[in-house]
Amino acid sequence: MMTTVINQNIKEALRLARELVILADKGEAASKDDGCRVLYSIIRDCAYSIRVHVEREREEHRKKGLWLISDGPDNNGEDNSNKN
C-alpha cells in the first residue's frame, strides 16, 4: 500500500534526524576549531528543522487516518498509531 511506504519514509526521516543530532553532538565534542563547531551547529539546526517538519507531516497523516496500525510504531519505540 502506498500509504505504508510514505509512512515508512516519514519514520525513516525521523530516524535520520536523530542520527544527525547524535553526529552533531559527537562532532562538537571532538571539535578543535571554530569552523568545525559551526559545521556541527548547522547539522544540528538542520536536524531540528527536519524533525519539526516530519512530526508535522506525521500528525497530518494521523488526522487524515493515514497513519495505520500496520505502519507499526514510531522509531522511538512507541506505538502512536491510534493517537489523534
CSV table of all heavy atoms in Angstrom, one decimal, residues 46-68:
chain,number,residue,atom,x,y,z
A,46,CYS,N,19.8,21.8,11.2
A,46,CYS,CA,19.1,21.1,10.1
A,46,CYS,C,18.3,19.9,10.6
A,46,CYS,O,17.2,19.7,10.2
A,46,CYS,CB,20.1,20.6,9.0
A,46,CYS,SG,20.8,22.0,8.0
A,47,ALA,N,18.9,19.2,11.6
A,47,ALA,CA,18.2,18.0,12.2
A,47,ALA,C,17.0,18.5,12.9
A,47,ALA,O,15.9,17.8,12.7
A,47,ALA,CB,19.2,17.3,13.1
A,48,TYR,N,17.0,19.5,13.6
A,48,TYR,CA,15.8,20.0,14.3
A,48,TYR,C,14.7,20.5,13.4
A,48,TYR,O,13.6,20.2,13.6
A,48,TYR,CB,16.2,21.1,15.3
A,48,TYR,CG,17.0,20.7,16.5
A,48,TYR,CD1,17.9,21.5,17.1
A,48,TYR,CD2,16.7,19.4,17.1
A,48,TYR,CE1,18.6,21.0,18.2
A,48,TYR,CE2,17.4,19.0,18.2
A,48,TYR,CZ,18.4,19.8,18.7
A,48,TYR,OH,19.1,19.4,19.8
A,49,SER,N,15.2,21.1,12.3
A,49,SER,CA,14.2,21.6,11.3
A,49,SER,C,13.5,20.4,10.6
A,49,SER,O,12.3,20.4,10.4
A,49,SER,CB,14.9,22.4,10.2
A,49,SER,OG,14.0,22.8,9.2
A,50,ILE,N,14.3,19.4,10.3
A,50,ILE,CA,13.8,18.1,9.7
A,50,ILE,C,12.8,17.5,10.6
A,50,ILE,O,11.7,17.1,10.2
A,50,ILE,CB,14.9,17.2,9.3
A,50,ILE,CG1,15.7,17.7,8.1
A,50,ILE,CG2,14.3,15.8,9.0
A,50,ILE,CD1,17.0,17.0,7.9
A,51,ARG,N,13.2,17.4,11.9
A,51,ARG,CA,12.3,16.8,12.9
A,51,ARG,C,11.0,17.5,13.0
A,51,ARG,O,9.9,16.9,13.0
A,51,ARG,CB,13.0,16.7,14.2
A,51,ARG,CG,12.1,15.9,15.2
A,51,ARG,CD,12.8,15.8,16.6
A,51,ARG,NE,12.7,17.1,17.2
A,51,ARG,CZ,13.3,17.5,18.3
A,51,ARG,NH1,14.1,16.7,18.9
A,51,ARG,NH2,13.1,18.7,18.8
A,52,VAL,N,11.0,18.8,13.0
A,52,VAL,CA,9.7,19.6,13.1
A,52,VAL,C,8.8,19.3,12.0
A,52,VAL,O,7.6,19.1,12.1
A,52,VAL,CB,10.1,21.1,13.3
A,52,VAL,CG1,8.8,21.9,13.0
A,52,VAL,CG2,10.7,21.4,14.6
A,53,HIS,N,9.4,19.3,10.8
A,53,HIS,CA,8.6,19.1,9.6
A,53,HIS,C,8.1,17.7,9.5
A,53,HIS,O,6.9,17.4,9.1
A,53,HIS,CB,9.4,19.4,8.3
A,53,HIS,CG,9.6,20.9,8.1
A,53,HIS,ND1,8.7,21.8,7.7
A,53,HIS,CD2,10.8,21.6,8.3
A,53,HIS,CE1,9.2,23.0,7.7
A,53,HIS,NE2,10.4,22.9,8.0
A,54,VAL,N,8.9,16.7,9.9
A,54,VAL,CA,8.5,15.3,9.9
A,54,VAL,C,7.3,15.1,10.9
A,54,VAL,O,6.3,14.5,10.6
A,54,VAL,CB,9.6,14.4,10.2
A,54,VAL,CG1,9.2,12.9,10.5
A,54,VAL,CG2,10.6,14.4,9.0
A,55,GLU,N,7.5,15.6,12.1
A,55,GLU,CA,6.4,15.5,13.1
A,55,GLU,C,5.1,16.1,12.7
A,55,GLU,O,4.1,15.6,12.9
A,55,GLU,CB,6.9,16.0,14.4
A,55,GLU,CG,8.0,15.1,15.1
A,55,GLU,CD,8.6,15.7,16.3
A,55,GLU,OE1,8.4,16.9,16.6
A,55,GLU,OE2,9.3,14.9,17.0
A,56,ARG,N,5.2,17.2,12.0
A,56,ARG,CA,4.0,17.9,11.5
A,56,ARG,C,3.3,17.1,10.4
A,56,ARG,O,2.1,16.9,10.5
A,56,ARG,CB,4.4,19.3,10.9
A,56,ARG,CG,3.2,20.1,10.5
A,56,ARG,CD,3.7,21.5,10.0
A,56,ARG,NE,4.5,22.2,11.0
A,56,ARG,CZ,5.5,22.9,10.8
A,56,ARG,NH1,6.0,23.1,9.5
A,56,ARG,NH2,6.2,23.6,11.7
A,57,GLU,N,4.1,16.5,9.5
A,57,GLU,CA,3.6,15.6,8.5
A,57,GLU,C,3.0,14.4,9.1
A,57,GLU,O,1.9,13.9,8.7
A,57,GLU,CB,4.6,15.3,7.5
A,57,GLU,CG,4.1,14.6,6.2
A,57,GLU,CD,3.1,15.4,5.4
A,57,GLU,OE1,3.2,16.7,5.5
A,57,GLU,OE2,2.3,14.9,4.7
A,58,ARG,N,3.6,13.8,10.0
A,58,ARG,CA,3.1,12.6,10.7
A,58,ARG,C,1.8,12.9,11.4
A,58,ARG,O,0.8,12.1,11.3
A,58,ARG,CB,4.1,12.1,11.7
A,58,ARG,CG,3.7,10.8,12.5
A,58,ARG,CD,4.7,10.4,13.5
A,58,ARG,NE,4.9,11.4,14.4
A,58,ARG,CZ,5.9,11.4,15.4
A,58,ARG,NH1,6.7,10.4,15.4
A,58,ARG,NH2,6.0,12.4,16.2
A,59,GLU,N,1.7,14.0,12.0
A,59,GLU,CA,0.4,14.4,12.7
A,59,GLU,C,-0.7,14.6,11.6
A,59,GLU,O,-1.8,14.2,11.9
A,59,GLU,CB,0.6,15.7,13.5
A,59,GLU,CG,-0.6,16.0,14.3
A,59,GLU,CD,-1.0,14.9,15.3
A,59,GLU,OE1,-0.1,14.2,15.8
A,59,GLU,OE2,-2.2,14.8,15.6
A,60,GLU,N,-0.4,15.2,10.5
A,60,GLU,CA,-1.4,15.3,9.4
A,60,GLU,C,-1.8,14.0,8.9
A,60,GLU,O,-3.0,13.8,8.7
A,60,GLU,CB,-0.8,16.1,8.3
A,60,GLU,CG,-0.7,17.6,8.5
A,60,GLU,CD,-2.0,18.3,8.9
A,60,GLU,OE1,-3.0,18.0,8.2
A,60,GLU,OE2,-2.0,19.0,9.9
A,61,HIS,N,-0.9,13.0,8.8
A,61,HIS,CA,-1.3,11.7,8.4
A,61,HIS,C,-2.3,11.0,9.5
A,61,HIS,O,-3.2,10.4,9.1
A,61,HIS,CB,-0.1,10.8,8.2
A,61,HIS,CG,0.6,11.0,6.9
A,61,HIS,ND1,0.9,9.9,6.1
A,61,HIS,CD2,0.9,12.1,6.3
A,61,HIS,CE1,1.5,10.4,5.0
A,61,HIS,NE2,1.5,11.7,5.1
A,62,ARG,N,-2.0,11.3,10.7
A,62,ARG,CA,-2.9,10.8,11.8
A,62,ARG,C,-4.2,11.4,11.7
A,62,ARG,O,-5.2,10.7,11.8
A,62,ARG,CB,-2.2,11.0,13.2
A,62,ARG,CG,-1.1,10.1,13.4
A,62,ARG,CD,-0.6,10.4,14.8
A,62,ARG,NE,0.5,9.5,15.1
A,62,ARG,CZ,1.6,9.8,15.7
A,62,ARG,NH1,1.8,11.0,16.2
A,62,ARG,NH2,2.6,8.9,15.9
A,63,LYS,N,-4.3,12.7,11.5
A,63,LYS,CA,-5.6,13.4,11.4
A,63,LYS,C,-6.4,12.9,10.3
A,63,LYS,O,-7.6,12.8,10.4
A,63,LYS,CB,-5.4,14.9,11.3
A,63,LYS,CG,-4.9,15.5,12.6
A,63,LYS,CD,-4.7,17.0,12.4
A,63,LYS,CE,-4.2,17.7,13.6
A,63,LYS,NZ,-3.9,19.1,13.3
A,64,LYS,N,-5.8,12.6,9.2
A,64,LYS,CA,-6.5,12.1,8.0
A,64,LYS,C,-6.7,10.6,8.0
A,64,LYS,O,-7.3,10.0,7.1
A,64,LYS,CB,-5.6,12.4,6.7
A,64,LYS,CG,-5.5,13.9,6.5
A,64,LYS,CD,-4.6,14.1,5.3
A,64,LYS,CE,-4.3,15.6,5.1
A,64,LYS,NZ,-3.4,15.9,4.0
A,65,GLY,N,-6.3,9.9,9.1
A,65,GLY,CA,-6.5,8.5,9.2
A,65,GLY,C,-5.5,7.7,8.3
A,65,GLY,O,-5.8,6.5,8.0
A,66,LEU,N,-4.4,8.3,7.9
A,66,LEU,CA,-3.5,7.6,7.0
A,66,LEU,C,-2.4,6.9,7.8
A,66,LEU,O,-1.6,6.2,7.2
A,66,LEU,CB,-2.9,8.6,6.0
A,66,LEU,CG,-3.8,9.3,5.1
A,66,LEU,CD1,-3.1,10.4,4.3
A,66,LEU,CD2,-4.5,8.3,4.2
A,67,TRP,N,-2.3,7.1,9.1
A,67,TRP,CA,-1.2,6.5,9.9
A,67,TRP,C,-1.9,5.2,10.5
A,67,TRP,O,-2.6,5.3,11.4
A,67,TRP,CB,-0.8,7.4,11.0
A,67,TRP,CG,0.5,7.0,11.6
A,67,TRP,CD1,0.7,6.3,12.7
A,67,TRP,CD2,1.8,7.4,11.1
A,67,TRP,NE1,2.1,6.1,12.9
A,67,TRP,CE2,2.8,6.8,11.9
A,67,TRP,CE3,2.3,8.1,10.0
A,67,TRP,CZ2,4.1,6.9,11.7
A,67,TRP,CZ3,3.6,8.2,9.8
A,67,TRP,CH2,4.6,7.6,10.6
A,68,LEU,N,-1.6,4.1,9.8
A,68,LEU,CA,-2.3,2.9,10.1
A,68,LEU,C,-1.5,2.0,11.1
A,68,LEU,O,-0.3,2.1,11.2
A,68,LEU,CB,-2.5,2.1,8.8
A,68,LEU,CG,-3.1,2.9,7.7
A,68,LEU,CD1,-3.1,2.0,6.4
A,68,LEU,CD2,-4.5,3.3,8.0
